[in-house]
Amino acid sequence: MSLPTALRVEDICKIFGRAVAVDHLSCEVRRGELLGIIGPNGSGKTTLVNLISGFLKPTSGRILYNGQDITRTAPHKIVGMGISRTFQMVRPFYRLPAYKNMIIPLYSPRVRQLAGGRYGDRNAVALDLLEEVGFERDANVAYKPAGTLPQGYLKRLELAKAIALSPDLLILDELFSGMSLAEVASIVPVIEKLRLAGKTIIMIEHRLKELFRIADRIMVLNYGQKIAEGTAAEVMESEAVKNAYLGSEE
Amino acid sequence: MKKRRERIDRGIKARSEDVYALCSWREMLYLAGPRLLPAAAFLLLPLFLGVYWQKVMISVAVFALLAISWDMLAQTGMISLGQALFFGMGAYVSGILNFYFGMPPWLTIPAATVLGGTLCTLILMPVLRLRGIYFSMVTLIIPLMLVRIIEATKIFGGTEGLSGMTPLPSTLTEIYLVTGVLLGVLFGLRRLMETDYGLVLKGIRDNDRSVTNAGINIYWFKTQALFISSTIGAFAGAFMTHVYMFVGMPVFALDYSILPIAAAVVGGSGTLAGAALGAVILVPLSEALRGIGGLRIVMYGLFLVVFIVAIPEGLFDYIQRKYHQKERWVEIDK
Amino acid sequence: MFAGTIVFALINSFILILMAIGFNLTFGISGVANFAYGALYAYMSWTMLNLLHLPFWASAALSIVLTMISGAMMYRFVLLRVRGQALSEVIATFGIGLAILELFRYLGLVGFEYTLPVFWNESFMIAGAYVDIQRIAIVLIGLMLVLGLWLFTHFTSTGLAFRGIAQDERTALTFGIDSDWIATLSVSFGAGLAAIAATIIIPLGSIAPNEGYDVLIKALAICIIGGLGSTGGVIVAGFIVGFAERFTDTYIGSQWTMIVSLAAILLVLAIKPSGLFGQQKELEERI
Ligand SMILES: Nc1ncnc2c1ncn2[C@@H]1O[C@H](COP(=O)(O)OP(=O)(O)OP(=O)(O)O)[C@@H](O)[C@H]1O
Ligand SMILES: [Mg+2]
């Protein structure tokens, strides 16, 4: 409990026209913690990520990162402060080879600043990072145009792009969906490693089993509201969660 | 017996991404040829041409510059329909500096290049925040409106324009100035677009959100691209003011917007060299077709449609492929 | 003089709205920016029909129909092939517009002999100003069109499909709306609106290729100020520019009217780049 707060969301709302996507939500993420967010489809998880990363501006409420108000900060500045996110719908540069996709985050002011203005070989760094997330070097996958890669690789490319920014807070939006069991198994250690390196991580997942194994804490959303929060076991016991998940199947 | 056409890359190591293993003069020539040839042509040709074709060559170079400046913007995802804005801005600034302040060409041209580019960038900067076709709409109407304004308010000579500018020393000076700049811009920008910086610019066109998500301020990068592009256009305008010794409303005319686009589209956008190639083809063609008058613009319009629908990659891409690949027919055994 | 200026400003506003509404409709529904817009069609069919020497009403109706058909054909044969590629769409429509306008310039179809007949050659005295019926017709037809458009998009199934596609193309597809067909219709309707506008506006002046560029400039200006794709925006922007132009014309000088429009555009771009009523769709798209 002594860990300092990394991210604090205060009473945030996002309304699209008449639809309330995020409804008076408050939550906190502590430094070095891995928070899992789950909830039925359309419960506002991605919208929450978009709000935190600055791609959407909230209708009301505040977001604080390390005590600093980032509610109306531009997305690229938020990345510069150390928050990076992956997209649920992958957004690669389809025409470029996978490793060239990595050049763009590596070119960002944040990375250049962290590198102390030294000029390194970005291509080499890109290939290393890709290997880390499972682009086998001997298979030359990294050289293929992103448009020709299967979904699992695109998801991993998305992760590699986020890691390339050496974020302090990493938000993974449904990273595992679209991946095979084996792929998930190979990515879990990558995430564990990031945690050991002290990164704060928010994971949004529908694959509960894998998530529960690595998450410290789980938050459950439904209709944009927080309906439960706690350890995996606590959350699954909650009546509200059972209703939300089972109720949605009726 | 069915046959199919097989395409094979010519066996030369130097074509791979960044390994340079040149073994012979032949290979070096193979690589350098396509670069040296046009450069040599631009530098030597003026010596053999008559005055008329020298003027045509100046025209080619100017439109090639405008086409390159258009292509540079297009590669960053901004589709301009008003290169005339850049051209006219440069032309008027250098004209004003020369006419009212008596500055000599070697001062007005660089000054107008920078000032004109800056003005255009400032005018268009707000539009950069918007995606999609706003940029095209605004670039299309601003030069047309500026014409009306000059016409109505009679500023800077109004419909008459300003004449009596200081000419450049000789036609050869003109040619070598403009072709020198053209070659510099062409090779320089091609190099630039291959760097990581260029990659970011191209990334903005493909997927601006991903670029933002990489912590890069896309507006700032777009502004830079716009500045580079409008500076090139402004140079062309500033230069032409001293060639014609005149500046007036025609510098904002649609011709300066359309011919560059046509050149870039015919030559193939996305390569810069294609844009220059397009100008090399279209400008003399349009000189040769001077007789048909207004039909020329009709022709450009149709060129645009046909090429964009049928051959969107343009001529340069085709030539490049033929140069780098062998083709042969192979039998398909069934 | 003041009252008279208001009357003419009102008329001017409706002229602008009529000019812009077709471009805006097409863009709002299918996202196609039709740079071959308006005057091009209108000009084309009108000139044709003038050459055929048909009676006014027949040629007006025929021209509107022909214009709509040519819009649909343009979509089917050209735009469909480059759909979704902004660069190609813009260049293709621009090229078509250019070719048509310049062809007419080349053929020399310019000047007063090709103007349209004025409906009725009478005029009224309104608020101390003579206003001919033609101008009153513009206001009335403008009002009817806006109202008709609203009814159409809210109460007919095609209209509802229009709005569905405009809001979310993919979702609309899942409801079995054929988005290509709707886009064809939208381009065609936009062209039709341009033809109607031309039918009632051109009698005030004469036909010339420059008119085509003018209409395009004005339509774009109105859409930029009002916010692309927003009908309300077009109406409001039409009134703003319409009044601003007329008042500068009367009280400052006619040469300043274009400056007012340009200033309005630059001002709006600087303050609210997506236009007064721009729906900010750009920023809130799904990620
Ligand atoms: N740009 C938008 N415009 C309008 N409505 C939106 C927009 N983005 C999301 N919504 C709506 O907001 C609600 C929440 O969507 P969101 O994408 O955040 O859900 P999610 O929890 O991420 O769902 P999933 O598990 O399917 O990814 C949904 O009802 C969705 O339709
Ligand atoms: Mg989601």
Side-chain angles (χ1 to χ4, degrees):
Chain A
M1 281 293 116
S2 60
L3 290 168
T5 307
L7 185 79
R8 183 196 202 94
V9 175
E10 286 179 1
D11 201 32
I12 206 158
C13 278
K14 179 68 196 177
I15 303 173
F16 293 109
R18 258 173 267 156
V20 185
V22 174
D23 190 2
H24 294 285
L25 184 82
S26 301
C27 64
E28 251 183 41
V29 189
R30 280 182 284 279
R31 220 170 274 173
E33 184 184 35
L34 198 161
L35 173 71
I37 302 181
I38 63 173
N41 290 112
S43 54
K45 306 179 296 288
T46 301
T47 307
L48 178 62
V49 176
N50 287 339
L51 290 169
I52 296 173
S53 57
F55 280 94
L56 292 177
K57 300 292 167 233
T59 315
S60 68
R62 288 205 307 167
I63 300 170
L64 302 173
Y65 177 60
N66 290 339
Q68 204 178 337
D69 192 336
I70 57 165
T71 320
R72 312 231 156 238
T73 312
H76 68 268
K77 288 201 186 127
I78 292 180
V79 175
M81 294 163 82
I83 302 182
S84 82
R85 54 87 57 99
T86 63
F87 288 107
Q88 176 179 357
M89 302 287 186
V90 289
R91 296 183 144 259
F93 305 101
Y94 285 101
R95 283 182 253 192
L96 299 176
Y99 81 101
K100 285 281 180 198
N101 268 267
M102 302 290 300
I103 302 291
I104 291 172
L106 289 177
Y107 192 79
S108 73
R110 176 180 173 83
V111 176
R112 280 189 292 171
Q113 203 180 351
L114 289 176
R118 268 172 293 126
Y119 179 79
D121 184 354
R122 294 203 181 88
N123 290 344
V125 179
L127 288 170
D128 275 353
L129 280 165
L130 283 177
E131 194 175 15
E132 213 167 288
V133 298
F135 278 63
E136 302 86 353
R137 208 169 266 238
D138 2 324
N140 283 339
V141 225
Y143 293 99
K144 295 197 178 127
T148 64
L149 294 177
Q151 182 71 9
Y153 276 104
L154 291 179
K155 285 274 183 181
R156 284 186 266 172
L157 177 60
E158 199 67 34
L159 175 64
K161 280 199 287 184
I163 296 177
L165 292 161
S166 30
D168 302 319
L169 170 60
L170 182 61
I171 308 177
L172 306 172
D173 194 356
E174 297 197 22
L175 181 68
F176 290 162
S177 34
M179 282 194 189
S180 67
L181 274 179
E183 281 172 325
V184 171
S186 73
I187 289 301
V188 168
V190 178
I191 294 170
E192 298 273 7
K193 223 167 91 189
L194 287 168
R195 257 181 85 190
L196 286 179
K199 312 275 184 202
T200 313
I201 301 175
I202 300 178
M203 279 186 84
I204 293 171
E205 268 314 324
H206 280 305
R207 315 253 299 234
L208 304 187
K209 215 167 90 196
E210 286 89 351
L211 179 67
F212 288 171
R213 211 170 290 153
I214 49 178
D216 295 315
R217 208 153 54 89
I218 301 286
M219 176 167 91
V220 191
L221 297 189
N222 195 21
Y223 294 113
Q225 288 169 327
K226 179 160 79 179
I227 55 169
E229 192 173 12
T231 62
E234 284 167 14
V235 159
M236 284 332 264
E237 282 307 302
S238 143
E239 280 303 312
V241 175
K242 282 182 189 158
N243 282 341
Y245 269 89
L246 297 177
S248 65
E249 278 168 24
E250 269 163 22
Chain B
M1 193 61 72
K2 273 192 192 165
K3 285 187 173 185
R4 88 186 150 84
R5 196 153 53 174
E6 195 177 64
R7 292 194 180 129
I8 307 160
D9 281 3
R10 289 187 201 282
I12 170 167
K13 289 199 185 71
R15 283 212 62 239
S16 75
E17 190 77 6
D18 37 37
V19 188
Y20 290 95
L22 297 179
C23 310
S24 66
W25 283 106
R26 247 191 82 200
E27 290 192 349
M28 280 200 221
L29 200 64
Y30 172 79
L31 279 187
R35 291 165 178 83
L36 286 179
L37 209 68
F42 268 115
L43 294 179
L44 294 179
L45 220 53
L47 301 174
F48 305 104
L49 291 177
V51 180
Y52 174 75
W53 285 103
Q54 280 183 335
K55 292 281 176 205
V56 173
M57 215 174 138
I58 290 179
S59 221
V60 168
V62 162
F63 279 108
L65 279 171
L66 287 173
I68 289 173
S69 116
W70 183 86
D71 197 14
M72 160 97 197
L73 276 185
Q75 287 194 38
T76 320
M78 294 178 269
I79 309 155
S80 148
L81 292 180
Q83 294 298 304
L85 174 62
F86 305 161
F87 184 87
M89 224 29 130
Y92 261 99
V93 172
S94 82
I96 290 163
L97 289 180
N98 187 250
F99 189 87
Y100 293 105
F101 301 97
M103 284 161 76
W106 60 267
L107 258 181
T108 57
I109 294 181
T113 303
V114 175
L115 247 157
T118 312
L119 277 174
C120 297
T121 312
L122 286 179
I123 292 178
L124 293 177
M125 230 157 80
V127 198
L128 299 184
R129 301 217 145 251
L130 302 169
R131 306 161 87 202
I133 56 136
Y134 272 93
F135 189 81
S136 314
M137 290 170 53
V138 174
T139 47
L140 175 64
I141 65 175
I142 286 186
L144 296 178
M145 286 181 130
L146 285 178
V147 173
R148 302 290 150 75
I149 288 176
I150 291 172
E151 188 179 9
T153 57
K154 304 193 172 59
I155 43 167
F156 307 134
T159 40
E160 309 278 290
L162 304 172
S163 47
M165 306 296 159
T166 321
L168 291 166
S170 70
T171 312
L172 274 188
T173 329
E174 288 170 358
I175 293 195
Y176 282 115
L177 175 61
V178 74
T179 48
V181 171
L182 170 63
L183 292 174
V185 164
L186 176 59
F187 290 116
L189 277 191
R190 258 177 84 85
R191 169 76 37 112
L192 181 77
M193 292 311 281
E194 289 303 313
T195 61
D196 293 350
Y197 177 83
L199 206 63
V200 173
L201 293 187
K202 288 187 212 158
I204 292 175
R205 180 182 71 171
D206 278 4
N207 205 328
D208 54 354
R209 265 161 211 287
S210 262
V211 179
T212 305
N213 196 42
I216 289 174
N217 185 353
I218 55 170
Y219 306 119
W220 176 231
F221 274 72
K222 278 171 141 182
T223 309
Q224 292 174 11
L226 177 59
F227 180 72
I228 296 174
S229 163
S230 51
T231 308
I232 297 170
F235 167 81
F239 169 77
M240 277 321 251
T241 296
H242 290 285
V243 172
Y244 289 145
M245 296 180 272
F246 162 81
V247 61
M249 286 173 5
V251 294
F252 285 116
L254 224 45
D255 302 28
Y256 290 108
S257 301
I258 292 150
L259 192 58
I261 305 177
V265 167
V266 168
S269 59
T271 57
L272 299 172
L277 177 70
V280 170
I281 296 171
L282 285 190
V283 175
L285 186 69
S286 112
E287 279 305 319
L289 296 179
R290 199 163 265 282
I292 63 169
L295 268 192
R296 278 185 305 169
I297 301 191
V298 178
M299 201 181 67
Y300 297 146
L302 294 179
F303 262 156
L304 281 181
V305 182
V306 169
F307 268 84
I308 211 74
V309 173
I311 323 172
E313 70 279 358
L315 293 177
F316 184 76
D317 193 70
Y318 177 80
I319 296 174
Q320 204 176 23
R321 207 176 62 218
K322 288 284 166 199
Y323 188 72
H324 286 310
Q325 289 180 330
K326 285 190 285 223
E327 282 187 359
R328 66 174 183 205
W329 290 93
V330 289
E331 284 166 6
I332 306 171
D333 27 35
K334 267 230 172 119
Chain C
M1 179 148 112
F2 181 76
T5 311
I6 288 194
V7 172
F8 276 100
L10 200 69
I11 295 164
N12 191 32
S13 307
F14 272 98
I15 291 181
L16 291 172
I17 293 171
L18 278 171
M19 283 177 178
I21 206 160
F23 181 92
N24 191 61
L25 178 87
T26 306
F27 183 85
I29 292 161
S30 56
V32 173
N34 185 1
F35 285 96
Y37 172 74
L40 322 184
Y41 301 121
Y43 185 70
M44 176 174 67
S45 41
W46 257 112
T47 318
M48 296 287 207
L49 296 166
N50 260 334
L51 292 176
L52 294 180
H53 301 296
L54 287 174
F56 177 80
W57 290 110
S59 57
L62 200 60
S63 100
I64 292 168
V65 172
L66 275 185
T67 308
M68 289 181 73
I69 292 176
S70 55
M73 286 199 331
M74 182 172 94
Y75 185 84
R76 281 279 140 177
F77 294 118
V78 179
L79 288 178
L80 197 55
R81 288 160 205 268
V82 293
R83 195 83 172 90
Q85 298 159 268
L87 176 85
S88 311
E89 276 182 8
V90 169
I91 293 178
T93 54
F94 188 56
I96 294 174
L98 202 68
I100 297 175
L101 274 183
E102 293 300 325
L103 185 66
F104 280 103
R105 196 201 294 278
Y106 176 73
L107 296 177
L109 302 177
V110 183
F112 292 98
E113 51 185 304
Y114 295 106
T115 81
L116 303 176
V118 175
F119 295 163
W120 306 277
N121 224 343
E122 285 164 44
S123 53
F124 278 96
M125 186 83 172
I126 300 179
Y130 276 106
V131 182
D132 48 280
I133 293 201
Q134 182 70 42
R135 289 189 161 81
I136 295 171
I138 287 175
V139 173
L140 291 181
I141 294 178
L143 276 176
M144 270 159 52
L145 270 185
V146 170
L147 191 70
L149 212 60
W150 188 82
L151 290 175
F152 172 75
T153 49
H154 283 75
F155 294 103
T156 66
S157 63
T158 316
L160 287 172
F162 271 16
R163 290 206 299 152
I165 292 273
Q167 275 180 18
D168 191 333
E169 184 163 344
R170 277 186 215 163
T171 312
L173 279 174
T174 61
F175 284 105
I177 296 172
D178 178 353
S179 80
D180 272 336
W181 173 236
I182 295 293
T184 311
L185 280 184
S186 81
V187 175
S188 159
F189 275 38
L193 285 174
I196 295 175
T199 314
I200 51 179
I201 294 170
I202 287 181
L204 297 178
S206 64
I207 295 179
N210 281 338
E211 199 76 13
Y213 294 114
D214 266 0
V215 170
L216 184 61
I217 299 182
K218 284 188 174 149
L220 293 182
I222 297 292
C223 289
I224 291 172
I225 293 173
L228 257 187
S230 149
T231 309
V234 165
I235 294 169
V236 172
F239 277 108
I240 292 176
V241 177
F243 273 76
E245 276 187 354
R246 241 350 89 207
F247 273 82
T248 31
D249 186 25
T250 319
Y251 293 100
I252 304 176
S254 65
Q255 71 266 37
W256 294 94
T257 51
M258 193 49 96
I259 296 187
V260 169
S261 311
L262 183 65
I265 288 181
L266 294 180
L267 200 71
V268 165
L269 284 177
I271 297 168
K272 195 160 181 297
S274 56
L276 296 176
F277 286 67
Q279 293 140 336
Q280 295 278 321
K281 240 193 230 162
E282 315 277 340
L283 304 175
E284 298 237 325
E285 99 195 61
R286 263 160 222 264
I287 321 180

